[in-house]
Amino acid sequence: MIEVKHLIKVFEGRGQVVRAVDDVSTQIAKGEVVVVIGPSGSGKSTFLRCLNGLEEFDDGQVVIDGIDIAGSATNLNAVRREVGMVFQHFNLFPHKTVLENVTLAQRVVRKREAVEATDKAMALLTKVGIAEKTNEYPSRLSGGQQQRVAIARALAMDPKVMLFDEPTSALDPEMVGEVLDVMKQLASEGMTMAVVTHEMGFAREVAQRVLFMDAGKVLEDAPPAKFFTAPKEPRAQMFLKQVL
Amino acid sequence: MPLKRRSAQWPWQGLLVVILLGLAVGLWIATKQVNYEWRWERVPQYFAYQDEVAQVAPFAGRVVKIDADGAYSQVHMLPSAGGSPVLITVETDTLKIADGAQVAEDAEIGATRHWRVGPLTEGLWVTIWLSFASGFIGLIIGLIAGLCRISKNPALRGLAVLYIELIRGTPLLVQIFIFYFFIGTVLNLDRTIAGIGALSLFVGAYTAEIIRAGIQSIPKGQTEAARSLGMSVAETMIHIVLPQAFKRVLPPLAGQFISLIKDSSLVSVIAITDLTKSGREIITSSFATFEIWFTVALLYLLVTSVLSQLLFWLERRFARSD
Ligand SMILES: Nc1ncnc2c1ncn2[C@@H]1O[C@H](COP(=O)(O)OP(=O)(O)OP(=O)(O)O)[C@@H](O)[C@H]1O
Ligand SMILES: [Mg+2]
């Protein structure tokens, strides 16, 4: 579903050159859940953002469902429709109600009729457990509720892949569970997912593979059972010691 | 939390009243010193006045009957040349002839009165519509220039910067002269068009900066969320960024518009009869210099404060989703 070949992203600024993603190659199969972990600043977010072209990469190739996203003939907007993204800070549209947040892109991008978009939105909001808040504005919702709306908003586009960038990091501890539950359900339904997270429990339970990143490189790529019990890399061992 | 001590307000309010009274007395003494005679009663006629239109006999003939019906009188005239009587209506107090009188053709029988709009009202109207037209065009110019200003294209960005700097770095009065005497002559523009053009360009440059700041104040996450849903740059602008930015720029934008109403008084230098020019014209005939200028100032104040109130109301309505 996703193929990444020799991906390189360099940030240059104020005399500093940061190789945020440094020659990463990997692939994610259809229905697979891959968790990306690593210390702060290791390039996890940048890697994820390269997958839907939010970040323009410098070299390498990202192929999603057979389409090279940096190809000269590629319509990036058309690719992004198929790739949902959930952000650390939710990024809901504050001037739209919950329902409008979920219907807007359906109407504008997918050109769905109002009735169809609303039905779809209601079904998804029910699924993530906030059907009763449809007419509220996002600012009136708790963090956990907002993040679930954000997931519903991404799902409304019927994406083939979902990218999550630390979806629970900005949440109060008691709200982490409700968001992870939604993600687990999604995984069990066969959604292809790439998840950057510090929730090791989620990685252990749901992921098929764990990628460990440090300094822009993927140092380990292993099933969670193997990664959490017997990491090969010393830096991965150090990292696990700190977080577990 | 400790209780906030409410210090007494009334001594200060009393002082305020005393100061204001002092100012009024000072003003009165000052005008006494220059022997100025206030003639406020002359002012109302410049808002609206009654125009008398003389009614004349359409032919030579004789008045056969006058029906005085309150304010109006119906004069029945029989032509000397023969034929049926004709009815002429005039105001009773302007009636110049008596019943049974012989009148020549074109002789004045009386007059009718009509309300006419005075020059102050006309000037106020010109100021208002001039400001609204320039404000509207300026908003569009500002929106385009503001978007160009943050565009990735160096040519668009350069043009926008040049435009904004040129306008903000020169006085409006000079811009109006250049627009009227240079551009207006080259393109053969009407003075009103030149005035609106100069004001629009002027307000557009300031609007562009306000809009740029407004757009840039919207967090990047909003754009990223919209783009990752597959929206194009334009769709993101229209549905996500601009509506939010608009809410934030409404207060400075309205402030700019209120300034525009005041700045529009400068177009009187190219002989557009706005409120200021009307005031100047009236003074040459009425000699009520102080009264007219005070009235003109009051009219500007009236328009700007009505707009301020409107803005206050709008802001409160827009605050709904916060
Ligand atoms: N827009 C940017 N401009 C310059 N440097 C950047 C930019 N975004 C990220 N970086 C740098 O790239 C590196 C990788 O950043 P990234 O956000 O991908 O890390 P991360 O693994 O997601 O960290 P965290 O766990 O803190 O979110 C960091 O050194 C960061 O400073
Ligand atoms: Mg990150």
Side-chain angles (χ1 to χ4, degrees):
Chain A
M1 181 59 81
I2 303 180
E3 256 191 85
V4 182
K5 287 181 201 150
H6 304 293
L7 184 67
I8 294 180
K9 170 68 192 180
V10 182
F11 286 112
E12 281 172 65
R14 292 198 220 101
Q16 276 184 324
V17 177
V18 181
R19 300 181 76 81
V21 178
D22 195 358
D23 194 16
V24 169
S25 299
T26 189
Q27 71 293 314
I28 300 173
K30 190 166 162 50
E32 202 176 18
V33 177
V34 173
V35 164
V36 183
I37 62 176
S40 182
S42 56
K44 308 179 296 288
S45 298
T46 310
F47 169 66
L48 210 63
R49 291 156 58 85
C50 285
L51 297 186
N52 72 347
L54 269 189
E55 213 74 73
E56 270 181 64
F57 43 87
D58 295 278
D59 205 359
Q61 209 181 19
V62 174
V63 179
I64 292 187
D65 207 19
I67 300 167
D68 179 356
I69 71 165
S72 53
T74 304
N75 176 1
L76 200 50
N77 295 330
V79 176
R80 288 193 181 121
R81 269 173 231 172
E82 317 294 335
V83 183
M85 184 151 192
V86 176
F87 301 85
Q88 181 175 357
H89 296 288
F90 332 133
N91 300 352
L92 291 180
F93 306 132
H95 60 304
K96 304 262 176 210
T97 62
V98 165
L99 184 66
E100 288 166 346
N101 262 276
V102 185
T103 53
L104 179 69
Q106 295 191 62
R107 307 225 30 211
V108 173
V109 179
R110 291 273 191 217
K111 313 283 183 218
R112 288 181 188 147
E113 292 298 321
V115 179
E116 192 192 351
T118 306
D119 287 350
K120 175 108 198 165
M122 287 309 297
L124 285 168
L125 288 170
T126 309
K127 182 174 166 183
V128 300
I130 23 183
E132 74 281 7
K133 300 274 187 190
T134 48
N135 291 318
E136 293 279 13
Y137 283 95
S139 56
R140 304 276 302 268
L141 268 53
S142 75
Q145 291 170 330
Q146 290 191 45
Q147 193 60 297
R148 285 183 281 148
V149 174
I151 294 174
R153 178 177 70 177
L155 290 176
M157 301 302 288
D158 296 317
K160 296 182 179 136
V161 186
M162 286 285 283
L163 308 176
F164 293 83
D165 189 3
E166 303 199 27
T168 58
S169 295
L171 298 179
D172 291 337
E174 71 270 22
M175 294 171 187
V176 169
E178 61 193 49
V179 172
L180 289 182
D181 285 344
V182 170
M183 290 168 63
K184 282 177 198 165
Q185 193 194 341
L186 211 55
S188 71
E189 289 168 4
M191 175 62 79
T192 311
M193 293 161 67
V195 185
V196 174
T197 186
H198 293 297
E199 294 293 329
M200 297 305 156
F202 177 82
R204 243 192 261 261
E205 193 183 329
V206 183
Q208 268 99 58
R209 277 160 57 214
V210 174
L211 302 187
F212 175 76
M213 282 188 79
D214 192 20
K217 290 191 186 299
V218 173
L219 297 183
E220 288 236 24
D221 179 350
K226 203 164 147 226
F227 176 78
F228 286 110
T229 49
K232 283 190 308 232
E233 282 284 325
R235 269 188 279 185
Q237 292 165 2
M238 273 235 311
F239 177 75
L240 284 177
K241 223 181 260 166
Q242 280 164 5
V243 297
L244 290 180
Chain B
M1 208 173 79
L3 267 178
K4 202 169 137 194
R5 270 249 298 282
R6 279 179 154 270
S7 56
Q9 295 282 309
W10 64 265
W12 298 110
Q13 285 163 353
L15 181 66
L16 177 66
V17 171
V18 169
I19 292 175
L20 290 180
L21 275 177
L23 280 175
V25 170
L27 202 70
W28 184 72
I29 294 174
T31 51
K32 267 273 178 282
Q33 295 259 318
V34 295
N35 277 327
Y36 189 80
E37 203 178 321
W38 292 93
R39 298 195 189 89
W40 282 105
E41 72 283 355
R42 288 195 182 174
V43 175
Q45 58 173 314
Y46 295 109
F47 284 97
Y49 60 96
Q50 279 198 322
D51 191 21
E52 285 196 355
V53 178
Q55 299 293 319
V56 295
F59 42 73
R62 193 168 55 87
V63 177
V64 287
K65 189 165 148 221
I66 297 178
D67 287 336
D69 176 20
Y72 294 98
S73 293
Q74 319 268 7
V75 178
H76 299 257
M77 264 190 75
L78 197 66
S80 341
S84 48
V86 169
L87 200 76
I88 300 160
T89 308
V90 299
E91 306 266 344
T92 306
D93 55 346
T94 62
L95 203 58
K96 291 240 166 62
I97 40 149
D99 197 0
Q102 279 288 344
V103 276
E105 195 178 341
D106 285 343
E108 196 176 334
I109 294 171
T112 51
R113 293 199 187 93
H114 302 275
W115 278 105
R116 293 255 188 267
V117 180
L120 273 182
T121 315
E122 268 173 12
L124 182 65
W125 170 242
V126 169
T127 286
I128 289 175
W129 85 256
L130 212 64
S131 303
F132 272 86
S134 326
F136 182 72
I137 301 171
L139 187 66
I140 293 171
I141 296 177
L143 190 61
I144 295 169
L147 288 173
C148 288
R149 177 77 178 67
I150 52 174
S151 132
K152 286 202 184 104
N153 183 325
L156 288 178
R157 206 170 51 226
L159 276 176
V161 170
L162 187 71
Y163 159 63
I164 293 168
E165 292 307 317
L166 270 182
I167 297 291
R168 299 213 305 175
T170 53
L172 174 57
L173 191 56
V174 175
Q175 289 165 24
I176 290 173
F177 281 136
I178 292 180
F179 212 98
Y180 180 54
F181 290 114
F182 177 63
I183 302 174
T185 311
V186 171
L187 298 180
N188 196 16
L189 294 180
D190 175 61
R191 65 178 79 247
T192 313
I193 304 290
I196 291 177
L199 286 177
S200 306
L201 277 183
F202 173 76
V203 79
Y206 287 86
T207 305
E209 279 296 283
I210 292 172
I211 286 179
R212 177 194 62 77
I215 290 175
Q216 286 180 339
S217 76
I218 303 303
K220 249 182 97 190
Q222 291 291 307
T223 312
E224 290 182 348
R227 297 305 305 277
S228 67
L229 287 166
M231 290 193 207
S232 66
V233 176
E235 287 162 350
T236 303
M237 264 295 155
I238 292 168
H239 295 287
I240 305 302
V241 179
L242 286 182
Q244 292 183 61
F246 181 68
K247 211 156 96 180
R248 292 195 190 181
V249 301
L250 192 65
L253 221 49
Q256 191 62 53
F257 182 63
I258 289 172
S259 288
L260 172 68
I261 292 175
K262 296 178 284 172
D263 293 336
S264 74
S265 73
L266 286 175
V267 297
S268 60
V269 297
I270 55 171
I272 294 176
T273 315
D274 72 330
L275 184 52
T276 304
K277 181 92 190 318
S278 301
R280 278 198 347 228
E281 281 173 0
I282 293 166
I283 287 163
T284 57
S285 64
S286 72
F287 303 108
T289 316
F290 292 4
E291 293 88 334
I292 294 297
W293 281 129
F294 278 126
T295 307
V296 166
L298 208 68
L299 286 174
Y300 277 111
L301 191 64
L302 193 77
V303 176
T304 52
S305 45
V306 165
L307 278 171
S308 297
Q309 279 304 312
L310 199 71
L311 166 75
F312 180 67
W313 176 80
L314 263 182
E315 262 182 81
R316 279 225 311 234
R317 277 210 45 182
F318 272 135
R320 233 170 5 131
S321 62
D322 297 332

